[in-house]
Amino acid sequence: MHIGPLKLKGNLLLAPMADVTDLGFRLLCKKYGAALVYSEMVDADGVIFRSNKTISRIVSAEEERPKGIQLSGSSAKSLEQAARLVEEQYSPDLIDINFGCPVRHIVKKGCGSALMKSPQLMADIMRQVSGAVSAPVTAKIRVYDTIDRTLETVQMLEDAGASALTVHARTRHQNYAHRADWDVIRMVKEDLCIPVIANGDIDCETAAQTVLEKTRCDGLMIGRAALGNPYIFRRIGYFLETGKLLEPLGVSEQVEDFFEYVETSDKYGLLDYASVKLHAKWFTRGIEGGRLLRIKINAEKDINSILEVMLSICRE
Ligand SMILES: Cc1cc2nc3c(=O)[nH]c(=O)nc-3n(C[C@H](O)[C@H](O)[C@H](O)COP(=O)(O)O)c2cc1C
């Protein structure tokens, strides 16, 4: 799959997820075949004013290339400035603009899905940012209540210079209780010339195949199903290539992946209690007695005690 001049070695992408897709986790997903990984969403003003939190979210490593950085912002001016800075300092292979985040504190600032109220502003942002940097600029959007509005907006983004579009097939008011509407992605794909990446509820081999067949999209973006389960990229990739299912990872391999996450985070100076706790809980999903393990992990007050709980899984 190509995104502008960027050639990817596959069509499975890891979704940007705030507080989740840190460097250690992105590298695990890459190991299992994710063709492109993104930073967590970073705020344009945070980039401009060099907030420590923002900088820690951009920290990257050469071994994770190709990498995307996702920006959120409310104006073309701040997003353009942030994109220039990000390109100068971190040289990402791609810059993505978030037009879909429905989280209240993001929308309140006029960012994320708040921008969907003004497709013209979305197009202005796309035009200005893609004109300012040499990396391809893409957008991640949610859909509108009506297909006409969705098609009108995606067309404007393509005309404004978007190199690809990721469509999370839910409206900004729908939470995860609603199934993603993959038919909308098909209509977007039929309408556009740029690559379209499908997103929403791609959580297993058959879902991946169904979405590809149904939408004819160019890429698949996987979010929640990768939590604690980066191996999903290998499973889905293998199935799409051979039509055969791989066995799930054994418990000890799952725990090994968690410790690899911890080691990588440590190596890059990113080890922190909150992230270790969050990932430890996800890596116990699907393990027998997982609920009890998560209760124990929740109660632990430092990283070493959480690691002890994770080690105990393999001793049992
Ligand atoms: C914890 C969490 C954090 C997320 N953060 C972001 C984000 O920073 N940027 C973004 O574009 N989408 C974000 N999303 C949305 C996902 O990228 C994705 O669009 C959504 O989860 C649907 O895909 P899925 O069904 O494969 O999970 C987030 C989702 C979750 C669950």
Side-chain angles (χ1 to χ4, degrees), residues 15-18 20 41 70 98 140 168 176 199-201 222-224:
M17 287 183 279
V20 180
M41 178 172 71
Q70 189 189 56
N98 183 305
K140 182 161 177 282
H168 177 189
Y176 290 108
N199 173 236
D201 294 340
I222 299 169
R224 290 162 300 155

